[in-house]
Amino acid sequence: MLSGSRQQTICRSVAILSGGVASDAPDSRAKLRVQVSWPARMQLPDGRVIALKVRNVSEGGVGLMSDEDIPARTVVDFEMGVPQLDEGGKVTPVRGTIKTTYTVLHGSESLCGGTWQAPPAGLELVNLWIER
């Protein structure tokens, strides 16, 4: 038996994946998003740290993916490794606080969106990726 939260997530995912209103609605984001594949992690309210992958970034937040459950509508500490634009191999940790805005189960992975609660240290580097 699934917990209420997990069952709700699965139902939402099925609605979105089956062509329901959510997937047909126009994208209402005001900020440009850039597709990336960066390592990240977040500390959950219970103290656990989970590994993530950043799927996209914008000035306003991040799109994330994980094999772990990600709670929706939760404020968490977050860190991602942002590579330098010159591809020299150096990665800069960008730390901040995000609020998870949604979580959708997609196969065995959780997809999540998060908005910055305050501009993170290192946002300038993220903005260089967005503007390139």
Side-chain angles (χ1 to χ4, degrees):
M1 187 75 176
L2 296 172
S3 70
S5 174
R6 189 71 168 171
Q7 187 173 14
Q8 182 180 19
T9 300
I10 289 172
C11 290
R12 175 185 281 173
S13 180
V14 169
I16 290 172
L17 295 175
S18 66
V21 174
S23 65
D24 297 340
D27 191 345
S28 62
R29 292 174 183 89
K31 310 242 188 260
L32 175 66
R33 288 181 296 150
V34 175
Q35 301 302 312
V36 298
S37 181
W38 298 338
R41 61 187 178 174
M42 74 170 54
Q43 185 171 14
L44 300 175
D46 66 6
R48 289 184 304 131
V49 175
I50 63 170
L52 307 160
K53 180 174 131 184
V54 180
R55 300 175 42 218
N56 60 63
V57 294
S58 74
E59 189 178 316
V62 291
L64 305 168
M65 179 171 51
S66 179
D67 293 333
E68 303 278 336
D69 287 337
I70 303 171
R73 298 173 304 282
T74 304
V75 176
V76 295
D77 291 328
F78 173 78
E79 178 181 270
M80 63 184 171
V82 181
Q84 297 295 316
L85 287 172
D86 63 10
E87 299 181 24
K90 182 179 176 190
V91 174
T92 301
V94 174
R95 296 177 183 96
T97 303
I98 62 171
K99 181 175 184 178
T100 59
T101 55
Y102 70 88
T103 301
V104 175
L105 187 62
H106 182 72
S108 64
E109 298 174 318
S110 291
L111 305 180
C112 170
T115 56
W116 300 116
Q117 295 305 285
L123 184 60
E124 302 81 21
L125 180 57
V126 174
N127 286 338
L128 289 175
W129 272 93
I130 295 167
E131 296 166 1
R132 70 179 176 106

